[in-house]
Amino acid sequence: MTTAADIMHPGAQWIPATETLDRAAQLMARLNVGALPVSGRDERMAGIITDRDIVVKCIAKGHDPSKVTCGDLAEGTPRWIDADATVADVLEEMESHQIRRLPVIKNKKLVGMISEADLVTHVTDRQLADFVEKVYAKA
C-alpha cells in the first residue's frame, strides 16, 4: 500500500507566522518551492503561505512584503495528513477541501509536502482526472 510518506516531497520547512513575506519569498526561492506551512506561537500549523498569496494578497494591493507577516495572510483551518495515510486518504483530503498542497506530519512533526506534481507520478489517470475536476471546480 502506497502511503503519503511514499509520495511526498521530503524536507519541507516551516516559516513562523511572525516572519515577513519578503523572508518567506526568499525561503521559497532557496528551497525551490511555491508554498510554506506557517507555524504559530504554539509551534502548530497556522496555515500555508503560497507565492501566489504574496503576489495577489500583498504586492498587488500595494502592501510592503517586508512589513506584512505570514500570519497576516494565513487563512482558514490548516489541513494536513499523517505520513501513514493512504493515497486514497490524501486525495480525499485534498479534493474535499479543494487544496493543491498538503503538509505531511509524522509524530507531530512536519516531514514533507504533497503537491499536484507529486500526485501526477503516483496516481492513476482516472484518479488524477477526478482530483482536477474536484479541486478546480467552482463552488
Side-chain angles (χ1 to χ4, degrees), residues 35-82:
L36 295 169
V38 178
S39 64
R41 289 184 202 154
D42 57 2
E43 296 188 7
R44 295 180 64 111
M45 189 165 50
I48 292 182
I49 189 79
T50 67
D51 48 7
R52 187 173 193 283
D53 290 334
I54 295 169
V55 171
V56 173
K57 296 177 182 177
C58 178
I59 295 169
K61 293 187 176 182
H63 301 295
D64 182 348
S66 69
K67 294 186 173 31
V68 179
T69 67
C70 294
D72 292 335
L73 295 190
E75 299 175 344
T77 303
R79 308 305 312 178
W80 56 272
I81 196 92
D82 188 88

Side-chain angles (χ1 to χ4, degrees), residues 4 6 18 32 49 86 95 105 108-110 117-118:
D6 296 327
T18 55
N32 194 30
I49 189 79
T86 66
E95 290 170 358
I105 306 294
K108 299 183 181 180
K109 294 189 190 276
L110 177 68
D118 298 313

Side-chain angles (χ1 to χ4, degrees), residues 90-105:
V90 169
L91 289 169
E92 172 61 28
E93 185 70 17
M94 293 175 82
E95 290 170 358
S96 65
H97 298 285
Q98 292 186 305
I99 55 177
R100 298 175 185 113
R101 297 173 179 100
L102 188 62
V104 180
I105 306 294

